Amino acid sequence: MPTTSEQLRPWLDRVLANHETWAAEFGPYSRHESLALKDSEVSAALDELADRLRDNYPFFHPRYAGQMLKPPHPVAIAGYAAAMLINPNNHALDGGPATAKMEREVVRQLAEMFGYGEHLGHLTSSGTIANLEALYVAREIHPRLGIAYSVDSHYTHSRMCKLIGVEGHAVPVDGAGKMDLDALESLLRSGKVGTVVVTAGTTGLGVVDPVHEVVALRERHDFRIHVDAAYGGFFSLIAGTEGIDPAPWQAIRRCDSIVVDPHKHGLQPYGCGAVLFADPAVGRFYVHDSPYTYFTSDELHLGEISLECSRPGAAAAALWLTLKLLPLKADGLGAVLAAGRRAAVRWHELIDQSDRLVPYQRPELDIVTYFPAESTLSAIDAASERMMREGMSDRDDPVFLSTLRAGAAAFGQRGIAAVADVDGARVLRSVLMKPESEDYLGRLHERVVALAG
């Protein structure tokens, strides 16, 4: 396999050549002298920039097994650069005619991936903004009712509830980190909840809430369902394979709204999120006017169905190009996720066989959680922190991990026989979202075991 640079150089050359051909059609003009820069000064500044950028972790390398971070696919970079040279704005159709069409195309593909037919949706700058829009619509539909989400859902939901002025209800989870359905139904009986947020891949453990069972609760209670699939959404491509239960994923098509982040498993640069609604009529909650914006077309402008105004058309171009080459199929983009999933399951098995490491929870997607073999929670916490710190600071053979804090009760729910001398402990957490992790796993495991020793 060629390196990223080897792939990208000829693609960027083609991008520049194509752009020059297009720009030449409009005739020559003189660039203003105020924009002129000296090559020597630019070179020096670029070298300084490169030096400053060294203060980063190697997100591209499988020895980085910490957070949900990795570079975009080189083809996404090429697609972004091609559009960025023009810098279209996908707020209004005249701001980005071509990329607005691309955005509609990729949003339709995302909707189809989840089983939506008719829909309304658009790209956003992040999953946070996408979830804000979904909860905003939830508030408009049920203005006097609250929003429920699990205690293990992303913290954005409690924050957004405060922002939009609705009551948020944190629902307990079971011993696997999934929303407790008995607790949810008890809350629904109170009549206080209009929308339930289910998570398709929690950012802590990678747990998928029982979406299908929450959908079934609508037979007895009247409420809307929003799916936060920001992290896990693309796993719908391989649901039913790789040991992934298809039932929750198949039920997503029966939910009212969905959020997914292409800048996570979709191989895109930040920021590229997306929000989808099953009912296009929710567009009425976005209605607004601008005397100088929406005049070039009677067709719906993307800015008329978005809370954000200016948005980069380059994000749509990058995703469009990526999905053209790695389509939303099990043997397309799905193959990228399948490799990470296999690596996670295999690492869990290796950890389970180790005398120095203990699994915290079996991975459902591609997040692995584990801790050093210690007898007390305080010792587990101290050893986990030490392993993370020593791994990152090793200049010769670094490994980059992250931690997750778990309460004493959570350890007990998982049958972990550690003395609860404190109220909780940090465990180690690794997101294997790079497919290269599959081939690197033996080395990664060996290095982490050595840190535990």
Side-chain angles (χ1 to χ4, degrees), residues 272 402 412 428:
C272 185
S402 66
L428 292 160

Side-chain angles (χ1 to χ4, degrees), residues 63 77 106 138 142 157 191 236 238 242 253 258 273 303 352 376 384 409 416 453:
R63 71 167 66 243
I77 298 173
V106 297
H142 294 300
H157 298 295
S236 61
I238 57 172
E242 304 294 341
R253 69 188 62 196
I258 308 166
D352 200 27
T376 66
S384 295
I416 297 169

Side-chain angles (χ1 to χ4, degrees), residues 139-436:
R139 184 197 69 182
E140 296 302 290
I141 292 175
H142 294 300
R144 289 173 294 279
L145 297 179
I147 295 171
Y149 42 82
S150 88
V151 295
D152 280 4
S153 68
H154 197 276
Y155 59 81
T156 193
H157 298 295
S158 62
R159 292 178 67 200
M160 292 304 116
C161 283
K162 293 177 182 176
L163 181 64
I164 62 177
V166 302
E167 186 176 6
H169 301 271
V171 180
V173 295
D174 62 18
K178 299 176 185 287
M179 181 180 282
D180 185 305
L181 294 178
D182 290 335
L184 174 61
E185 185 159 24
S186 178
L187 178 61
L188 290 170
R189 288 194 197 101
S190 72
K192 296 179 178 179
V193 171
T195 296
V196 174
V197 177
V198 289
T199 305
T202 59
T203 49
L205 293 170
V207 167
V208 180
D209 281 333
V211 184
H212 53 303
E213 296 182 56
V214 175
V215 168
L217 285 177
R218 286 196 303 201
E219 296 175 6
R220 300 191 293 274
H221 307 279
D222 181 23
F223 63 96
R224 301 176 71 259
I225 303 174
H226 168 57
V227 183
D228 181 0
Y231 151 62
F234 287 101
F235 280 95
S236 61
L237 297 171
I238 57 172
T241 68
E242 304 294 341
I244 297 174
D245 181 6
W249 303 97
Q250 291 170 351
I252 290 177
R253 69 188 62 196
R254 298 174 61 192
C255 298
D256 298 281
S257 55
I258 308 166
V259 160
V260 64
D261 272 0
H263 66 218
K264 289 190 173 73
H265 285 98
L267 307 178
Q268 299 306 292
Y270 293 109
C272 185
V275 61
L276 308 165
F277 297 98
D279 180 9
V282 302
R284 67 189 184 276
F285 299 121
Y286 289 94
V287 171
H288 64 282
D289 193 19
S290 171
Y292 59 87
T293 303
Y294 309 122
F295 60 85
T296 58
S297 172
D298 292 332
E299 191 177 350
L300 190 68
H301 296 255
L302 288 167
E304 294 181 272
I305 54 167
S306 170
L307 293 184
E308 294 179 276
C309 292
S310 297
R311 294 181 300 108
L319 183 55
W320 179 89
L321 185 62
T322 303
L323 297 187
K324 189 169 184 64
L325 297 163
L326 289 167
L328 295 176
K329 298 178 180 179
D331 59 353
L333 183 60
V336 178
L337 283 85
R341 162 69 181 164
R342 288 192 298 268
V345 171
R346 177 57 181 151
W347 198 11
H348 173 83
E349 294 169 349
L350 292 173
I351 290 168
D352 200 27
Q353 297 163 11
S354 170
D355 58 359
R356 296 185 186 180
L357 298 172
V358 180
Y360 176 73
Q361 178 164 317
R362 182 177 179 81
E364 192 165 358
L365 300 179
D366 60 7
I367 297 179
V368 186
T369 47
Y370 52 98
F371 55 90
E374 300 286 351
S375 59
T376 66
L377 293 187
S378 60
I380 289 171
D381 183 79
S384 295
E385 193 280 333
R386 175 191 58 77
M387 289 175 63
M388 182 181 69
R389 176 172 36 80
E390 290 183 0
M392 287 194 301
S393 60
D394 189 321
R395 290 182 174 275
D396 297 322
D397 192 10
V399 64
F400 302 88
L401 312 173
S402 66
T403 60
L404 169 74
R405 181 167 179 78
F411 280 88
Q413 284 180 306
R414 288 161 177 77
I416 297 169
V419 176
D421 58 335
V422 291
D423 63 359
R426 285 168 291 183
V427 300
L428 292 160
R429 169 181 168 274
S430 293
V431 184
L432 302 187
M433 66 192 307
K434 293 183 286 290
E436 293 85 358

Side-chain angles (χ1 to χ4, degrees), residues 2-18 73-79 81-82 321 325:
T3 65
T4 296
S5 296
E6 289 169 342
Q7 285 184 316
L8 198 50
R9 281 193 184 97
W11 298 347
L12 288 179
D13 285 343
R14 192 171 193 88
V15 162
L16 291 171
N18 289 342
H73 194 286
V75 80
I77 298 173
L321 185 62
L325 297 163

Side-chain angles (χ1 to χ4, degrees), residues 69-92:
L69 294 165
K70 66 177 180 180
H73 194 286
V75 80
I77 298 173
Y80 203 101
M84 188 172 57
L85 288 165
I86 304 167
N87 203 25
N89 180 346
N90 271 19
H91 179 65

Side-chain angles (χ1 to χ4, degrees), residues 98-121:
T99 50
K101 291 177 183 176
M102 291 179 195
E103 179 165 342
R104 289 201 174 97
E105 290 176 28
V106 297
V107 166
R108 184 178 66 249
Q109 291 175 61
L110 293 173
E112 291 171 350
M113 177 178 73
F114 290 114
Y116 271 9
E118 192 178 18
H119 65 277
L120 185 77

